[in-house]
Amino acid sequence: MNRRKEPGTARDLDIRVQWLILLRWIAAGCLFLVITGLRFALHVDLPLVPLYAGNLALILLNGCYALAFSRIQSAKRPGRWIARVTALANAQISLDLVLLSWLIHFSGGIANPVVFFFIFHMVIASILLSNRNAYLQACFASAVLGAVTAGEQAGLLAHYTLSNLPPGAFPLLSWGEFFARYAALVATLFIVVYMCTTIVNKLRAREDELETTNIKLQDKDKIKSRYVMTVSHDIRGPLSVIQSCLRVVLDGYTPEVSGKSREMIERASLRTERLLAYVRDLLDLSRMRAAEDMDKTRLYLPDLLSRAIEQLRPLADGKQLEVTVANETAAAFIMASEEAMTEVIGNLLGNAIKYTPAGGRVALRIRDAADPDTLELAVADTGIGIPAGELPRIFEDFHRAPNAKEFEPDGTGLGLSIVKHIVEAYGGNIRAESEEGRGSTFTVDLPRG
Ligand code: ADP
């Protein structure tokens, strides 16, 4: 679990940059339609070559951004990654402003209402960038647009009037009118950046608070897990001693105990056995939750399955269950710790055996998942199944479905919690499908080794 707190501007940066790239594809498509429609449907006198060139530049640049972004993504490393995506976002917005100024220049200059599109860019910059960079983009937008349009006013650059655009052209303005429009636009850009950054800052501060609270809660949860771990560890020792003392008596290593006394000791032994299983599960779960990191080695999954089956064979044979294994992949390696995976497989196979009536079948299958980096392990049985209403709750701590309690009173309701925790700690996931009375299938996706 990555508990590093990201700076506000970096949070969800990848999603926002992707969104910006998508938005630009839409903008490029719309721009093409507008230029083509104005020129060929409405016969507006547009300088087609520079406008289409601007459109093409937008498409090519966006392709480059998408490529650069996917490269940065694939080498995702905190720190440098944030700096690179931020630089990419800054570059995109700056180049967009240049392109927008280019398009405005060839379509009537500052008189063209499209100049208000600069406002969208300021909103995007305020959402995507730091406050400082958003204000710098506002300065840059004012400078580029100012240079182009003032250049037109001064006669240094050509002015393109769309002479036959109804209801009229975009003529060259008087200097007074030009300054009034330019000043109003620049003021709007800065006001928009100020308003957006104020709102975005508040939202970021709220997100920061939530994240801090979340981290504190996780820390508290770890302290609780450590406490449960210590207590269950301390209880397990004396319990094991009590259990072995009772076994010594029951196995006949002491003078014979019979009648009511033996019956009492047998009951005590059974209860102690259950209590021990419960304490062991509690210890396992709290140990997993308190752990900071999980070990990882390359493991051959079929070997782990064979060992688990060997261990549980007496239980399966006792109920005449048919246990089969199918390996449908050429590379059945995973990255995990052997101890943790033995726990996962032991729990799933143990449950399948436990909840399947005599004469049933249990099938284990390994195969390639849809994602090439993932391996899929399925444990299917023809057992009692899980009622539909219970399915969403079976991974909760201590939860046992009523039909399971009836079929097999022994159980702690902690096995699947442990399994889920381990699988997710390795970046995998687990799901269950079941039909009451017909059987269940637990499918685990694990990262390949
Ligand atoms: P336990 O088996 O000790 O009760 P688990 O956490 O392993 O605890 O399982 C939780 C619950 O999920 C079980 O009590 C049972 O209701 C349900 N369950 C798990 N595996 C199966 C299975 N193979 N078939 C039917 N129900 C199952």
Side-chain angles (χ1 to χ4, degrees):
M1 190 189 310
N2 182 8
R3 295 185 47 214
R4 192 179 53 82
K5 218 173 123 196
E6 288 185 332
T9 47
R11 200 176 301 120
D12 294 336
L13 190 60
D14 48 353
I15 298 170
R16 292 187 194 148
V17 170
Q18 264 171 324
W19 163 75
L20 185 58
I21 292 173
L22 175 73
L23 218 61
R24 202 175 288 103
W25 289 128
I26 298 170
C30 291
L31 181 62
F32 177 78
L33 291 179
V34 169
I35 298 172
T36 311
L38 282 175
R39 179 69 189 85
F40 298 104
L42 298 176
H43 306 291
V44 175
D45 185 17
L46 286 172
L48 276 187
V49 175
L51 289 179
Y52 275 139
N55 198 174
L56 186 66
L58 187 63
I59 293 168
L60 293 178
L61 280 171
N62 209 30
C64 294
Y65 302 147
L67 199 71
F69 182 66
S70 73
R71 285 201 173 177
I72 298 172
Q73 267 299 71
S74 57
K76 196 166 177 173
R77 256 174 288 147
R80 284 194 64 195
W81 176 84
I82 293 172
R84 284 181 174 190
V85 181
T86 309
L88 180 69
N90 255 310
Q92 288 184 53
I93 295 175
S94 298
L95 286 171
D96 282 350
L97 295 173
V98 173
L99 267 178
L100 186 57
S101 303
W102 169 277
L103 295 172
I104 284 171
H105 168 58
F106 287 104
S107 58
I110 199 162
N112 186 340
V114 170
V115 287
F116 288 106
F117 278 40
F118 276 95
I119 293 171
F120 294 148
H121 287 82
M122 294 305 105
V123 174
I124 291 171
S126 308
I127 296 172
L128 218 61
L129 307 176
S130 65
N131 292 357
R132 183 173 152 270
N133 283 341
Y135 279 109
L136 283 176
Q137 292 289 359
C139 295
F140 184 65
S142 312
V144 178
L145 183 71
V148 171
T149 51
E152 288 177 21
Q153 289 292 129
L156 300 173
L157 294 173
H159 176 74
Y160 294 85
T161 52
L162 309 188
S163 48
N164 56 346
L165 177 73
F170 295 140
L172 207 54
L173 306 175
S174 67
W175 275 103
E177 207 178 337
F178 166 75
F179 277 126
R181 273 182 188 242
Y182 179 69
L185 186 71
V186 169
T188 310
L189 296 187
F190 280 90
I191 290 169
V192 164
V193 171
Y194 171 75
M195 286 165 73
C196 288
T197 49
T198 308
I199 296 168
V200 167
N201 286 348
K202 281 204 176 129
L203 289 176
R204 281 177 188 158
R206 187 63 58 84
E207 272 184 58
D208 276 346
E209 265 172 42
L210 284 176
E211 205 175 329
T212 311
T213 313
N214 200 17
I215 289 175
K216 278 189 193 155
L217 281 176
Q218 285 173 11
D219 287 343
K220 285 213 167 114
D221 199 49
K222 277 207 186 321
I223 293 170
K224 187 201 76 188
S225 295
R226 273 189 218 114
Y227 174 75
V228 176
M229 189 172 91
T230 314
V231 173
S232 40
H233 182 266
D234 289 352
I235 295 174
R236 192 182 61 166
L239 260 185
S240 304
V241 175
I242 296 170
Q243 174 64 356
S244 36
C245 291
L246 295 173
R247 283 259 54 102
V248 167
V249 177
L250 289 173
D251 292 347
Y253 295 106
T254 57
E256 181 70 34
V257 189
S258 55
K260 197 73 186 160
S261 306
R262 185 173 182 87
E263 193 191 316
M264 287 299 172
I265 295 176
E266 272 169 357
R267 275 167 66 182
S269 170
L270 188 71
R271 287 299 165 106
T272 315
E273 191 62 60
R274 282 186 193 164
L275 204 55
L276 254 177
Y278 181 78
V279 170
R280 250 183 245 128
D281 275 359
L282 211 54
L283 186 61
D284 281 344
L285 188 63
S286 51
R287 198 183 280 148
M288 303 282 169
R289 290 203 173 137
E292 293 290 340
D293 284 311
M294 306 281 277
D295 294 341
K296 267 187 198 173
T297 40
R298 193 162 183 260
L299 301 172
Y300 188 56
L301 196 52
D303 281 351
L304 298 182
L305 294 188
S306 307
R307 260 177 263 151
I309 292 172
E310 273 329 298
Q311 259 194 346
L312 295 168
R313 174 77 63 199
L315 287 179
D317 288 349
K319 294 169 86 177
Q320 296 95 45
L321 298 182
E322 183 195 347
V323 181
T324 57
V325 183
N327 180 9
E328 297 171 8
T329 172
F333 289 95
I334 51 164
M335 284 303 288
S337 108
E338 185 167 345
E339 193 192 341
M341 281 320 293
T342 304
E343 184 89 34
V344 168
I345 298 164
N347 264 306
L348 293 178
L349 183 60
N351 278 348
I353 293 173
K354 184 160 82 173
Y355 296 115
T356 301
R361 287 188 313 278
V362 174
L364 300 160
R365 189 177 62 184
I366 305 169
R367 64 174 182 180
D368 299 318
D371 171 2
D373 297 330
T374 306
L375 201 64
E376 189 182 283
L377 165 68
V379 180
D381 63 57
T382 56
I384 58 167
I386 303 162
E390 293 290 323
L391 256 182
R393 298 198 59 197
I394 53 164
F395 293 101
E396 288 175 16
D397 294 358
F398 305 110
H399 189 78
R400 302 195 70 210
N403 66 334
K405 285 188 205 164
E406 202 178 301
F407 185 76
E408 174 55 71
D410 262 2
T412 61
L414 288 173
L416 287 183
S417 302
I418 296 173
V419 169
K420 187 171 161 65
H421 190 85
I422 296 174
V423 169
E424 288 179 355
Y426 286 114
N429 67 65
I430 179 164
R431 56 192 181 278
E433 287 151 284
S434 187
E435 202 179 321
E436 196 176 356
R438 302 197 68 122
S440 314
T441 303
F442 285 82
T443 310
V444 183
D445 287 330
L446 290 161
R448 276 182 185 284

